[in-house]
Amino acid sequence: MEFNRKFGPWALITGASSGLGQAFAEKLAQRGINLVLTARSEDKLQKSASELERNYGVNVRAIAIDLSVRDSVDALYVRCADLDIGLVVSNAGATQMRDYMHYGLDEVRRSVQLNVAAHADLARFFGEAMLSRRKGRGGLLFISSIVGLQGAPYLSVYSASKAYLLSFAEALHYESRNKGLHVTAVAPGPIKTPMMQLGPAAKEIIKQSHLSLLEPERVASGALDALERNTSIYIPGPYMRWRFGILRRYFFSRSANVSYWGKTIKRYMKVFVNATIMRAD
């Protein structure tokens, strides 16, 4: 298969123990790609690894690691040095919904490490290896968000980090355009994952805000297809592409989009039972 020749035989997925990361693991295993799964929870990883090996006959290596710790990607790279990794799905991330001035300084630094520095380190270590060892065969897939298309009040650090990923991926995409390395950033809206702890009231707010909850399996499939086409930025879902790709760009000012997110998130926070940290790793 062309996909496997380009992006196999191994793929690395961060934040792989649940949600979107788990969906990527399932989709890649279905294609016969061997997997390196990383997250903080070793028990969840081992359970997922056993199921994927049993169901799809692929090899799976589970590595429990906290990417919010400095130099964690260095250690991860060493533990993957014996594998021919052709795809990195850089998915791990965390967010908190609150006024920025209520963050602890250590929280901010760990968030920047996880949501920004870890992605850059993964690209540097594994992207360079793809270019030098594989003559450009490979792909880097970064999971950003539609909140990265502008500032999002009460998600200030998170939205800024997702904006970084969009700009970073666009730049890498251009730099790699004649080298064979595919680079894509995915900017989804709300996804039905553990990060979205939704009660009935929260779901109603999302509905009233004209947002739609995306299925993780569909996001993963669309993202892999976009990577194979070497699309620089991919927004999953026809409505989300229309609202946040076309309308946002041509019919709404940047300040209007910031205001939209500020009002939406504040309403959501009022009914969100646990408006603290939400992690996809």
Side-chain angles (χ1 to χ4, degrees):
M1 297 173 61
E2 182 61 25
F3 185 94
N4 293 37
R5 190 195 70 80
K6 177 71 178 178
F7 302 112
W10 287 84
L12 166 67
I13 306 171
T14 67
S17 61
S18 63
L20 186 57
Q22 194 171 47
F24 273 114
E26 189 89 11
K27 294 299 180 182
L28 289 168
Q30 289 173 1
R31 295 174 183 247
I33 302 287
N34 301 313
L35 301 170
V36 177
L37 307 181
T38 74
R40 292 178 301 162
S41 173
E42 185 167 5
D43 290 343
K44 289 182 180 179
L45 286 176
Q46 292 294 350
K47 180 180 178 182
S48 180
S50 297
E51 291 175 352
L52 291 166
E53 288 179 332
R54 181 174 62 253
N55 293 338
Y56 301 105
V58 296
N59 297 311
V60 182
R61 180 176 297 183
I63 301 176
I65 196 164
D66 186 351
L67 295 180
S68 69
V69 177
R70 188 174 180 179
D71 298 329
S72 55
V73 176
D74 305 50
L76 176 60
Y77 183 70
V78 170
R79 295 176 69 177
C80 298
D82 59 321
L83 304 177
D84 184 12
I85 292 179
L87 172 59
V88 172
V89 180
S90 197
N91 170 67
T95 183
Q96 292 176 315
M97 293 186 294
R98 65 175 70 160
D99 188 297
Y100 175 75
M101 296 306 172
H102 294 162
Y103 282 78
L105 187 56
D106 183 62
E107 289 178 295
V108 173
R109 290 172 175 169
R110 289 179 71 87
S111 179
V112 172
Q113 169 61 38
L114 176 63
N115 293 333
V116 177
H119 295 278
D121 289 349
L122 286 164
R124 183 62 183 83
F125 278 111
F126 292 96
E128 192 279 332
M130 292 174 196
L131 290 173
S132 62
R133 299 181 198 169
R134 298 167 53 90
K135 298 181 180 179
R137 286 188 302 110
L140 300 173
L141 187 59
F142 300 99
I143 308 307
S144 180
S145 168
I146 55 172
V147 300
L149 296 170
Q150 68 290 296
Y154 313 110
L155 287 176
S156 55
V157 177
Y158 183 74
S159 63
S161 70
K162 295 305 184 181
Y164 168 85
L165 285 182
L166 292 173
S167 294
F168 185 54
E170 283 182 315
L172 290 185
H173 181 272
Y174 184 89
E175 292 175 11
S176 306
R177 68 195 189 285
N178 296 321
K179 300 176 183 177
L181 180 65
H182 288 203
V183 182
T184 296
V186 186
I191 305 174
K192 293 180 181 178
T193 70
M195 280 189 71
M196 294 299 297
Q197 303 174 43
L198 298 174
K203 290 180 181 179
E204 182 61 26
I205 288 174
I206 286 180
K207 181 180 179 181
Q208 292 174 5
S209 301
H210 305 291
L211 295 171
S212 57
L213 278 174
L214 302 169
E215 296 290 342
E217 295 78 14
R218 296 189 66 178
V219 174
S221 291
L224 293 173
D225 290 344
L227 178 71
E228 190 168 19
R229 298 191 303 269
N230 202 19
T231 302
S232 60
I233 304 295
Y234 170 65
I235 301 176
Y239 170 76
M240 304 301 275
R241 282 194 292 275
W242 174 75
R243 169 61 181 87
F244 294 100
I246 298 173
L247 288 185
R248 180 197 62 84
R249 183 180 303 172
Y250 297 109
F251 298 97
F252 292 94
S253 67
R254 190 174 181 88
S255 61
N257 283 294
V258 172
S259 178
Y260 164 83
W261 282 111
K263 293 175 181 177
T264 298
I265 294 169
K266 193 166 187 176
R267 291 168 62 204
Y268 183 75
M269 287 170 63
K270 289 180 178 179
V271 300
F272 191 46
V273 176
N274 184 28
T276 55
I277 192 164
M278 299 183 289
R279 293 185 63 137
D281 68 339

